[in-house]
Amino acid sequence: DQQVKQNSPSLSVQEGRISILNCDYTNSMFDYFLWYKKYPAEGPTFLISISSIKDKNEDGRFTVFLNKSAKHLSLHIVPSQPGDSAVYFCAASALYNSGNTPLVFGKGTRLSVIA
Amino acid sequence: NAGVTQTPKFQVLKTGQSMTLQCAQDMNHEYMSWYRQDPGMGLRLIHYSVGAGITDQGEVPNGYNVSRSTTEDFPLRLLSAAPSQTSVYFCASSYSTDINNEQFFGPGTRLTVL
């Protein structure tokens, strides 16, 4: 059973417009969410994160929104640039007494930004 | 710092062969993990370690062994390779299991099992 779902395998956006990548989760114990970016032939790199005590976190052109009641988060990229073309993974973790659980990843969304 | 290094970058095996994928980090990170990435499947956790001498299973551990004798190294062993193990393998590390510590990934090993 997939706990972190990215239902859009791909997304194509024009340069300068907004890119919105979506992620849904089923485990209500998740309390920390991350986005990773991956270029071909490279390992994923951390992009931005959000704790469940917040509903928004912003870092430059990247903003992550969290809707806990809907178990949904989204990554907004404004304005989109050709260099943003990559696969984006949503990941989640839960905090227990022994520490955070290992990250659970979604299947990824391939973003193509067209010049 | 070299960060997280993985060797080899590419490997082709025949069914039944064994091999070890190497992973090393020079950041004195306690937490290390192995993931596999398959088309349409995202990243799935194979094994992880919270420190030297401590390992645990992830989501897809069957067919793989790990050990953690030093803080720096976390090798992944395929005991008897199967075509289903054809994948890209990523090693990752972070300072601790605290989620606020960024997890760094290696460049990956692309494995093909014939």
Side-chain angles (χ1 to χ4, degrees), chain A residues 27-88:
Chain A
N27 188 342
S28 57
M29 297 300 293
F30 286 147
D31 55 9
Y32 204 86
F33 305 89
L34 307 90
W35 285 93
Y36 279 80
K37 179 178 180 179
K38 185 184 178 305
Y39 292 118
E42 294 183 10
T45 55
F46 170 75
L47 186 59
I48 193 169
S49 64
I50 189 166
S51 162
S52 60
I53 62 173
K54 292 185 171 183
D55 55 17
K56 176 183 173 180
N57 188 26
E58 194 170 355
D59 184 2
R61 295 186 297 113
F62 303 91
T63 303
V64 56
F65 295 91
L66 175 62
N67 183 333
K68 282 173 291 187
S69 60
K71 293 192 180 70
H72 176 83
L73 62 153
S74 60
L75 173 68
H76 292 211
I77 306 173
V78 184
S80 301
Q81 299 174 353
D84 296 329
S85 297
V87 177
Y88 290 78

Side-chain angles (χ1 to χ4, degrees), chain B residues 26-46:
Chain B
D26 60 358
M27 298 174 281
N28 201 30
H29 285 173
E30 289 293 325
Y31 182 78
M32 297 186 74
S33 54
W34 277 102
Y35 293 86
R36 59 178 288 174
Q37 183 192 9
D38 301 295
M41 296 296 292
L43 291 157
R44 293 183 293 169
L45 182 66
I46 305 171

Side-chain angles (χ1 to χ4, degrees), chain A residues 32 36 38 43-44 100 102-103 107, chain B residues 37 40 45 90 97 99 103 106:
Chain A
Y32 204 86
Y36 279 80
K38 185 184 178 305
N100 281 99
L103 293 178
K107 293 185 178 181
Chain B
Q37 183 192 9
L45 182 66
F90 291 101
T97 57
I99 198 62
Q103 195 160 186

Side-chain angles (χ1 to χ4, degrees), chain B:
Chain B
N1 285 351
V4 180
T5 57
Q6 292 183 238
T7 55
K9 289 182 86 88
F10 302 94
Q11 182 70 50
V12 179
L13 291 179
K14 293 182 180 178
T15 297
Q17 286 185 315
S18 63
M19 81 158 294
T20 300
L21 279 63
Q22 301 291 345
C23 174
Q25 52 86 14
D26 60 358
M27 298 174 281
N28 201 30
H29 285 173
E30 289 293 325
Y31 182 78
M32 297 186 74
S33 54
W34 277 102
Y35 293 86
R36 59 178 288 174
Q37 183 192 9
D38 301 295
M41 296 296 292
L43 291 157
R44 293 183 293 169
L45 182 66
I46 305 171
H47 285 283
Y48 64 99
S49 168
V50 299
I54 307 168
T55 64
D56 207 345
Q57 296 181 349
E59 180 186 356
V60 288
N62 292 341
Y64 307 95
N65 269 2
V66 291
S67 59
R68 185 93 180 272
S69 55
T70 67
T71 299
E72 294 77 21
D73 301 293
F74 190 42
L76 179 72
R77 296 183 192 84
L78 280 70
L79 308 172
S80 177
S84 61
Q85 293 178 304
T86 293
S87 187
V88 182
Y89 292 84
F90 291 101
C91 179
S93 75
S94 62
Y95 183 70
S96 74
T97 57
D98 186 329
I99 198 62
N100 291 305
N101 295 126
E102 180 180 341
Q103 195 160 186
F104 294 88
F105 284 80
T109 294
R110 184 175 293 275
L111 175 68
T112 301
V113 183
L114 302 175

